Amino acid sequence: GLTSIDDIPENVIYLNVSWNRLTSLPILPDSLEKLDCCNNQLTSLPQLPDSLEELVCSYNQLMSLPHLPDSLKILSICNNQLTQLLPLPDGLEKLYCWDNQLTHLPILPDGLKILICNHNQLTQLPPLPDGLEYLTCSNNRLTQLPPLPDSLEKLICFDNQLTSLPILPDRLKMLWCHNNQLTHLLLLPDRLEKLICINNTIKKYSYIPTNWWGTKLQIKDIMYH
């Protein structure tokens, strides 16, 4: 694989240099909209252009990030050595930050739809955006979750220290909450299709959805002891 890159042409829009042995990147062109530099040996990134919409830099050795441009919509920074994140752009829609050393998250943008922050050292989550659809926060140190938005369809929160869950939104289809300290589950949504809650101390459900015996439900995954 490559160990270095020369100057990048000024008009490049998409740059993919993943799966190499790069330890640094050159100055990035102002035209760049998408950068994929995952699976390298990068310890830092250069200044990011204001045009950048997608940044994929997972599986490196990053300990910090440069200022994130307001244009950014997708940020994938998984499997690095990050201990904190700078303020996130208001327009960010997808954040993938699993397998770092994060102890907290910054304020989440209002338009965020996907948050995947598993395998960190989080003890709490910030308020969740109203439009969030997919939340994965497993393998952290969470003792509680913030209120869940009505838009949420998937909640994956296993391997934490949760003793209870907030009110579950009606649109929720997937709930994986196993390996916690739950003693009960609140009202379970009618649209729920997949539930895994083994390795808790659940003694009863408040309510079992009427459509659980329909074709969509995967009965084998309804386990609670």
Side-chain angles (χ1 to χ4, degrees), residues 1 6 36 43 46 49 56 61 66-67 70 77 90 116 125 127 132 144 156 179 189 199 213 217 223:
D6 295 331
D36 187 343
T43 57
V56 180
Q61 302 169 25
H67 172 74
D70 292 337
I77 47 177
D90 290 338
I116 302 184
L125 295 179
L132 193 69
Q144 62 180 356
I156 299 176
N179 296 342
N199 291 336
W213 305 108
L217 181 69
M223 300 178 287

Side-chain angles (χ1 to χ4, degrees), residues 133-178:
E133 299 175 359
Y134 191 165
L135 171 60
T136 295
C137 55
S138 54
N139 292 96
N140 277 289
R141 302 174 182 176
L142 302 171
T143 58
Q144 62 180 356
L145 297 178
L148 303 175
D150 293 339
S151 56
L152 197 67
E153 296 183 3
K154 296 181 181 180
L155 173 58
I156 299 176
C157 57
F158 61 85
D159 281 311
N160 277 289
Q161 302 168 27
L162 301 172
T163 57
S164 64
L165 295 177
I167 295 174
L168 301 175
D170 291 338
R171 299 178 71 173
L172 197 68
K173 296 179 180 179
M174 175 186 292
L175 174 58
W176 291 3
C177 56
H178 45 292

Side-chain angles (χ1 to χ4, degrees), residues 5-54:
I5 296 179
D6 295 331
D7 294 342
I8 302 169
E10 291 183 0
N11 296 323
V12 169
I13 296 175
Y14 172 43
L15 177 62
N16 188 336
V17 292
S18 58
W19 294 94
N20 281 291
R21 293 181 291 161
L22 301 173
T23 57
S24 65
L25 295 177
I27 296 175
L28 300 174
D30 292 338
S31 57
L32 195 64
E33 296 178 2
K34 180 177 179 179
L35 171 61
D36 187 343
C37 56
C38 66
N39 291 91
N40 278 285
Q41 301 171 20
L42 300 171
T43 57
S44 65
L45 296 177
Q47 180 177 340
L48 302 175
D50 292 337
S51 56
L52 196 66
E53 297 182 0
E54 183 173 348

